[in-house]
Amino acid sequence: MPAKIPVEEKILLTARRLFCQVGIHATGIARIIEESGVSRRSLYTHYGSKENLLKAVFEAEASIWFRWFDHDLPQMECPPTERILALFDLMQDWFESEIFYGCVFINAVAEHEKCNSWIQEIANGYKAQFTAGLQAIVAASGVKAPEMVTEKLNLLIDGTIVTAMVTGNSEIAQIGRLAAADILRGAQ
């Protein structure tokens, strides 16, 4: 018998899937309630509003990346360059998982107005944290111009995520890995 999923997690998983697959604007509270199988009261007790639920979805997405940078990558006993490349292996695992619907941050920013958007502000905040984690590993690898290399890798990572989402091909992560290796080799 499968373990029972807590109500709060059911709501969060359903909202994350719908926000990415259908869109934030197109996903109403009624649909989240119906597809998660919880009561309206439960949703509002746990999250209070659709905006708070979206913020929780952002936090859940960011936690995947922070787990990689704070736990998975540091535990690898290999040079920093190999840890950077291993990030693409972690991404491939994510792409192959049942919880990959693309990047909620990319999707949300694309869907909302770009000027003065609280969504863009939150996405940029998480992106800055992610970039700091990546840049620490890049700097430890001894490459020239670690800031520029980090920005190149950021572009590559975002492109890999979008391509995996659009094509449904998880193997794109390995092409991203090869391109990252080229970037790192060129910066030695």
Side-chain angles (χ1 to χ4, degrees):
M1 184 176 199
K4 186 175 178 181
I5 298 173
V7 169
E8 187 174 8
E9 190 175 340
K10 274 186 188 179
I11 297 165
L12 189 65
L13 291 171
T14 303
R16 186 174 181 275
R17 177 179 53 80
L18 290 172
F19 288 162
C20 286
Q21 288 182 330
V22 179
I24 296 163
H25 290 304
T27 301
I29 292 296
R31 183 163 181 186
I32 295 168
I33 290 167
E34 179 184 330
E35 292 197 24
S36 65
V38 303
S39 69
R40 180 174 294 274
R41 182 175 183 204
S42 291
L43 187 141
Y44 284 105
T45 297
H46 289 289
Y47 296 102
S49 68
K50 184 176 175 181
E51 183 175 309
N52 288 341
L53 179 55
L54 179 57
K55 288 176 182 177
V57 167
F58 286 156
E59 191 173 309
E61 179 96 355
S63 73
I64 294 170
W65 290 90
F66 296 140
R67 184 183 68 242
W68 292 346
F69 281 102
D70 297 339
H71 182 266
D72 298 347
L73 294 173
Q75 285 191 346
M76 295 178 176
E77 294 185 21
C78 59
T81 301
E82 289 301 314
R83 285 198 304 270
I84 295 165
L85 298 178
L87 179 59
F88 289 87
D89 299 331
L90 293 170
M91 288 170 52
Q92 182 169 354
D93 291 344
W94 179 41
F95 297 163
E96 292 172 350
S97 75
E98 293 179 2
I99 62 164
F100 178 70
Y101 312 106
C103 175
V104 70
F105 298 107
I106 293 170
N107 293 348
V109 170
E111 186 178 340
H112 285 78
E113 81 179 63
K114 307 305 180 263
C115 298
N116 302 317
S117 171
W118 65 269
I119 290 175
Q120 188 169 11
E121 186 176 312
I122 289 173
N124 284 333
Y126 282 123
K127 184 69 167 179
Q129 288 179 277
F130 165 77
T131 298
L134 180 59
Q135 189 166 328
I137 301 171
V138 169
S141 75
V143 299
K144 298 175 202 161
E147 297 86 5
M148 178 60 73
V149 171
T150 300
E151 287 308 312
K152 288 178 181 180
L153 291 171
N154 265 333
L155 288 170
L156 178 61
I157 289 164
D158 288 346
T160 301
I161 293 167
V162 170
T163 303
M165 179 189 67
V166 170
T167 65
N169 179 4
S170 64
E171 294 291 320
I172 201 69
Q174 293 310 304
I175 296 170
R177 190 183 208 281
L178 293 171
D182 289 343
I183 291 168
L184 294 167
R185 204 172 16 260
Q188 294 297 327

